[in-house]
Structures are given as structure tokens and as C-alpha cells.
Amino acid sequence: MDDPTLKCSEVTKAYGGLVALDRGDLEVHAGEIFGIIGPNGAGKTTLFDVISGVSTTSSGTLVFEGRDITRLPASRIATSGLQRTFQTPVTFPDLSVRDNVLVGGYFGGNNSVAHDSELRTEKIEEVLGLCGLEDVGSKIAGQLPVIGRKQLMIATALVSDPRLLMLDEPMGGLNAEERQFILDLLRDLNSSGMTLLIIEHVMSALLSIADKLLILDYGRVIFEGRAKEALEDAKVVQAYLGVEAESLRN
């Protein structure tokens, strides 16, 4: 098997005496859709934070495409081809939808987009269309509904052509129709060659697209493997899925 696109080895994050992430290992290979699940407080977003440089690991190593990114700041990691979204949609609420994506074009690490105004305009319109925002490009971002803000955050990440996109609960708070839109978008991104790392609580949706799952509980990895195998793992069922496991098997 090829070397992993992202490899986390013995990654630990402690806040004083609280260990939020305890010696976590993770390998994501190019072209995969890799899901991360676990109870609230299990360490999922903490893992995203240390991978993306939002916070620094207490110990352990992080390697992206063969390069050690363990101590790099978030700005350097973002320009290396790795982008993320957040559980709560982050936008500039007083700017237009298009200008929010423009900011991503300037600072997201794609030099050709940042320095070529014609290419930047083309790219912005491309990702607006891809994310279903082509008709609201001039709308003020703060006026968007939840689904619109999630679409916008994804668009802002995509304008830099990341090779690995990390999404923190992209379907949280959405209705069935909105979740389906996001699922279709994620499938399209993956089909184009993009590797996806996804935190999600909507298990039925995640299982429909994920190749592999990593499951955290109290900061520790209790499962890593093929998505369907998680439904048969006793520790996973006890820690997280409970009675839902039976319905997800069918």
C-alpha cells in the first residue's frame, strides 16, 4: 500500500491535567473518505485542531504527504494542501458570499489563485456553483441559513484546491434534504480525487459514504477499520452506537 497522505502517531493533547487526546494513531490514504465518530467530549475536534495547527500537540507526530507538520502554525498547514471546516460555520457575516470565498482565495495557499485575478474569479464562480451558491453570491453571508453557511465554509476551503479536506460535522443541524445535498457534494469531491476526513454524528449518512472509520472514546482510539466492521465491534456498540447499531446494520 502507498504511504498514507496523513499519518498521526501517538498524538496526545493535554490541557493541564485533562488529557483530551491520548496517544492517538491515524492513517488516511489518498482518495479515501475517512470518518471519525465518538461521543461528545471524545476528542474528535481536538484531533482536528492539532492536525490543522489550531492547537499544538503535547506529544506525538503529524505527517502530511511525507512532510512533518507537527509544529507548523495553522497558516503554514493550510498552504500545504490541507484545509478544514468547523463544527460551527465560520464566516465573515458582513461580507458577501462571494467576498468570503475571495478571502479564501487570497489566504488559502493556492498561489495561482491568489495572484491571478482572472483565474481567481473563475475559481470563485466554479466553487460557488459546485456548492450550490451560484444564485446567492452577492448576498450578505450573515443572512444565510445554516445550510447556506455550511455550503459557504466548504466553498471557502475549496477555492484553494486542497488535496485533503477535513470537515467537522458538515451535516449537523440539517434536515434530510439538506443532508442529501451535502452527501452528494462530498461524493463529487471524492470522485474528483480529493481525500476527505469527516467528523459526523449522523451515522447513517456517514456509513453511506465512508471507506473507513476511526472511533474515539475518552480521548482514546477504540476502533479503526472498515466502516461496516464498526457495527460488529462490541466496544464500539457499548461506547457509542448502542441500540442504533442494529438499525444501521439493516
Side-chain angles (χ1 to χ4, degrees), residues 113-245:
V113 170
H115 296 105
D116 185 326
S117 59
E118 183 174 343
L119 179 60
R120 186 167 60 246
T121 299
E122 292 176 1
K123 189 65 181 179
I124 289 170
E125 297 308 315
E126 176 188 327
V127 298
L128 287 176
L130 182 64
C131 295
L133 297 169
E134 62 271 29
D135 294 332
V136 295
S138 299
K139 191 170 185 175
I140 298 302
Q143 299 174 352
L144 294 175
V146 172
I147 176 63
R149 295 198 299 274
K150 286 180 179 281
Q151 291 166 267
L152 176 55
M153 193 162 50
I154 295 172
T156 303
L158 291 178
V159 75
S160 297
D161 286 325
R163 295 178 296 282
L164 172 60
L165 178 61
M166 300 166 51
L167 303 112
D168 194 345
E169 295 195 36
M171 289 168 276
L174 303 183
N175 62 36
E177 181 179 353
E178 293 166 342
R179 286 199 301 269
Q180 189 59 53
F181 175 88
I182 297 295
L183 279 172
D184 291 342
L185 172 58
L186 298 183
R187 286 193 182 98
D188 288 344
L189 294 176
N190 183 246
S191 295
S192 74
M194 191 175 297
T195 305
L196 303 178
L197 183 59
I198 307 170
I199 294 172
E200 188 53 68
H201 280 296
V202 184
M203 276 296 297
S204 57
L206 187 59
L207 285 172
S208 73
I209 60 170
D211 301 303
K212 293 181 183 176
L213 288 180
L214 179 108
I215 302 177
L216 290 165
D217 189 35
Y218 293 105
R220 292 189 174 184
V221 176
I222 62 171
F223 176 89
E224 180 180 354
R226 308 301 298 182
K228 295 298 183 182
E229 294 171 4
L231 300 177
E232 306 299 333
D233 189 281
K235 288 189 294 185
V236 173
V237 173
Q238 181 180 5
Y240 185 62
L241 296 179
V243 296
E244 186 184 9

Side-chain angles (χ1 to χ4, degrees), residues 31-170:
E32 285 183 335
I33 299 179
F34 200 114
I36 299 177
I37 65 172
N40 290 331
K44 303 181 298 296
T45 296
T46 298
L47 179 59
F48 262 36
D49 286 348
V50 297
I51 292 171
S52 61
V54 171
S55 62
T56 305
T57 58
S58 301
S59 62
T61 58
L62 301 155
V63 177
F64 175 60
E65 295 184 334
R67 180 188 184 190
D68 190 330
I69 62 170
T70 308
R71 300 295 169 185
L72 292 183
S75 57
R76 292 277 302 280
I77 292 173
T79 61
S80 71
L82 186 158
Q83 292 281 336
R84 72 168 290 184
T85 67
F86 291 82
Q87 182 177 345
T88 301
V90 177
T91 64
F92 295 99
D94 296 327
L95 295 181
S96 71
V97 168
R98 185 172 285 105
D99 283 346
N100 267 268
V101 182
L102 175 64
V103 172
Y106 273 114
F107 298 108
N110 187 324
N111 287 331
S112 58
V113 170
H115 296 105
D116 185 326
S117 59
E118 183 174 343
L119 179 60
R120 186 167 60 246
T121 299
E122 292 176 1
K123 189 65 181 179
I124 289 170
E125 297 308 315
E126 176 188 327
V127 298
L128 287 176
L130 182 64
C131 295
L133 297 169
E134 62 271 29
D135 294 332
V136 295
S138 299
K139 191 170 185 175
I140 298 302
Q143 299 174 352
L144 294 175
V146 172
I147 176 63
R149 295 198 299 274
K150 286 180 179 281
Q151 291 166 267
L152 176 55
M153 193 162 50
I154 295 172
T156 303
L158 291 178
V159 75
S160 297
D161 286 325
R163 295 178 296 282
L164 172 60
L165 178 61
M166 300 166 51
L167 303 112
D168 194 345
E169 295 195 36

